[in-house]
Amino acid sequence: MKLEKLQPLTDEYLESIGFVWHTDEDNSSYIADEVVVVNENEANAYYEACNELYDMFCEAGEHVIENDLFHEINIPFNLVETIKESWENDVHWHLYSRFDLAGGLDGAPIKLIEFNADTPTSLFETAIIQWALLKANGLDEASQFNNLYDALKDNFKRIITLDSDIEKFDEYYNDLGWKILFSSISSSAEDENTTKLLQHIANEAGFNTDFEFIDKVGFNDEGIFKDEESFEFWFKLIPWEDIAIDESELALVLADIIKEKKAIIFNPAYTLMFQSKGFMKILWDLYPNHPLLLETSFEPLDGKKQVEKRCFGREGANTKIINEDGSIDVQTEGEYEGHKAIYQEYVELNTDSNGVTYQAGVFYAYEACALGFRRGEKILDNMSKFVGHIVKEDQALLT
């Protein structure tokens, strides 16, 4: 793979646009001063792969619901009916998500690692920072597979039109005063500013919006409130599984709000199915040996190098890479040990000349719309770096 060195953005500039998590705990920059060079064929392949994968997820979601496989994929019991309710009604629109992928560069086949369907991170980095990095270096900022900002703006309109024709929103619905309340936890500047970026995009789309930390939002059988004002829509950058496990009373209230059509929540509850890493076992059952999938099981794979991880683990925690003979290559600790384990066939990630690994992340908002990379150790954790990209024509393909 090829990297291109760039002049980094200054901390002062990053903070001026609200990107305050630019430096990791070891004082190293979170944003790489390099970009991955991707050719047009590779960018198109990422686009096509993720559109196909999303269709497969939708088919598999129907299969989970029809066959009551929620326990299989570790879904908390108190969200099952909420998931069904959100799945059956089209108004529960999937706003955005991110596929994590191995391969896609230098001829390596694209393989699905997992799907961050509920509360995907790196949105600010992908939509804003990698674009700004090209612009600051005098490069064409349009030379990316990166339409995330506009794709989100269009998809906010689709929560009203419920179809591809977003012009209907501008023509018929833009002046009806639809209101979205945006919420994050108060202890994370990253979550707060990412949420406020989404709020800004929704404003541009034509919505009336407000922001409130989750602990100050009001919930009752009449809906969702900030002070005395009610909201038709609520966006929460709080994982559904955390609500189910840590806030069980809130989970029940939200179930009633959705059932009685008092408010609509983003991302919808059914994205928790997609978020579960156990869902990839369902995909493998339905699409065995599909070229975009890795063999996945709830039991250890016999005689194969594999990765053990937890259905709702995050940031590489509680993960093991297990060799063919059963010995441990590398492992991480964490707080997700209580979740069900899955075993996924091991695949090499893209690596640079120093042996550092790169994982592609492709955002999906109605369609695949943006590419970015994370780099780090074999198991990517919260110390991994964000690496932007630039699309260039491959001269070797032109000769």
Side-chain angles (χ1 to χ4, degrees):
M1 59 182 294
K2 183 179 179 182
L3 298 168
E4 185 168 323
K5 194 84 168 178
L6 298 180
Q7 191 68 27
L9 300 169
T10 66
D11 292 351
E12 290 77 16
Y13 172 78
L14 292 171
E15 290 174 9
S16 75
I17 61 173
F19 192 79
V20 297
W21 57 101
H22 50 68
T23 302
D24 285 326
E25 293 177 0
D26 60 359
N27 288 322
S28 63
S29 176
Y30 164 54
I31 303 296
D33 60 355
E34 300 169 305
V35 290
V36 178
V37 179
V38 177
N39 68 49
E40 292 183 5
N41 286 349
E42 291 167 337
N44 288 335
Y46 281 126
Y47 172 80
E48 296 292 345
C50 291
N51 289 336
E52 182 176 356
L53 283 168
Y54 194 83
D55 288 344
M56 292 161 62
F57 268 80
C58 291
E59 291 291 330
E62 188 69 33
H63 177 78
V64 167
I65 290 174
E66 288 181 352
N67 293 279
D68 196 24
L69 300 178
F70 299 101
H71 179 71
E72 287 283 297
I73 60 174
N74 208 201
I75 299 296
F77 73 93
N78 57 351
L79 282 181
V80 169
E81 292 306 314
T82 309
I83 288 170
K84 291 179 180 178
E85 189 78 28
S86 67
W87 184 262
E88 293 301 324
N89 192 332
D90 287 343
V91 300
H92 299 281
W93 195 260
H94 193 177
L95 186 60
Y96 76 119
S97 51
R98 191 192 76 237
F99 289 98
D100 286 345
L101 308 163
L105 302 177
D106 300 327
I110 295 171
K111 296 289 185 179
L112 175 67
I113 302 294
E114 56 196 51
F115 187 29
N116 298 275
D118 179 16
T119 54
T121 57
S122 75
L123 183 142
F124 205 122
E125 299 91 305
T126 303
I128 305 296
I129 301 302
Q130 64 171 342
W131 172 86
L133 188 59
L134 293 191
K135 187 175 180 66
N137 280 269
L139 299 169
D140 180 7
E141 62 268 24
S143 296
Q144 291 185 339
F145 168 27
N146 186 8
N147 188 41
L148 181 53
Y149 192 100
D150 288 335
L152 283 167
K153 186 161 64 174
D154 289 347
N155 224 20
F156 273 114
K157 296 177 181 180
R158 290 190 186 97
I159 69 178
I160 304 300
T161 67
L162 298 180
D163 62 25
S164 61
D165 187 2
I166 58 173
E167 292 181 1
K168 288 181 181 178
F169 182 91
D170 299 321
E171 186 173 354
Y172 299 114
Y173 302 118
N174 195 19
D175 59 350
L176 296 182
W178 300 101
K179 297 182 294 183
I180 310 177
L181 181 62
F182 287 80
S183 296
S184 70
I185 60 174
S186 59
S187 59
S188 170
E190 178 180 352
D191 286 4
E192 178 184 349
N193 286 0
T194 298
T195 302
K196 286 181 176 177
L197 172 61
L198 286 161
Q199 180 188 359
H200 176 78
I201 296 171
N203 282 334
E204 285 198 357
F207 287 84
N208 296 320
T209 71
D210 205 343
F211 177 89
E212 187 57 274
F213 292 118
I214 177 66
D215 58 312
K216 295 182 179 179
V217 177
F219 306 93
N220 61 39
D221 57 6
E222 290 301 314
I224 297 173
F225 299 84
K226 177 181 178 180
D227 300 324
E228 299 300 318
E229 184 179 13
S230 66
F231 288 81
E232 295 95 343
F233 303 104
W234 182 48
F235 174 88
K236 45 124 204 102
L237 199 65
I238 300 105
W240 274 107
E241 72 268 20
D242 287 358
I243 294 173
I245 296 167
D246 301 330
E247 302 288 345
S248 57
E249 290 186 11
L250 176 58
L252 291 174
V253 174
L254 293 178
D256 287 339
I257 287 172
I258 290 172
K259 184 176 181 180
E260 299 302 322
K261 299 178 172 58
K262 299 297 184 181
I264 297 168
I265 300 170
F266 305 105
N267 274 311
Y270 66 74
T271 60
L272 185 58
M273 291 191 299
F274 297 168
Q275 181 81 27
S276 169
K277 296 174 181 61
F279 199 88
M280 290 179 291
K281 163 65 163 61
I282 307 298
L283 284 173
W284 186 256
D285 288 346
L286 295 177
Y287 304 96
N289 300 306
H290 190 284
L292 294 173
L293 300 180
L294 296 166
E295 182 179 358
T296 307
S297 175
F298 293 128
E299 302 295 333
L301 301 174
D302 187 30
K304 289 188 176 182
K305 190 169 186 177
Q306 59 201 279
V307 180
E308 176 189 327
K309 47 191 175 181
R310 302 292 156 168
C311 280
F312 292 109
R314 291 176 180 268
E315 296 183 328
N318 300 105
T319 299
K320 297 177 185 176
I321 298 178
I322 305 171
N323 295 316
E324 292 92 334
D325 62 3
S327 62
I328 304 299
D329 182 355
V330 62
Q331 65 180 327
T332 60
E333 303 300 324
E335 59 186 46
Y336 304 103
E337 192 68 27
H339 290 289
K340 187 174 184 177
I342 68 155
Y343 300 85
Q344 184 182 60
E345 179 186 356
Y346 177 79
V347 62
E348 295 282 351
L349 296 177
N350 300 306
T351 59
D352 62 22
S353 59
N354 296 316
V356 180
T357 61
Y358 290 71
Q359 178 178 275
V362 175
F363 274 89
Y364 187 97
Y366 193 71
E367 64 179 350
C369 58
L371 171 67
F373 292 88
R374 291 170 66 207
R375 75 177 178 195
E377 304 296 329
K378 278 188 177 181
I379 299 174
L380 294 169
D381 58 20
N382 61 358
M383 292 298 289
S384 63
K385 308 301 184 183
F386 179 82
V387 188
H389 76 285
I390 186 169
V391 176
K392 291 187 173 183
E393 289 186 349
D394 189 335
Q395 296 301 316
L397 296 175
L398 299 176
T399 58

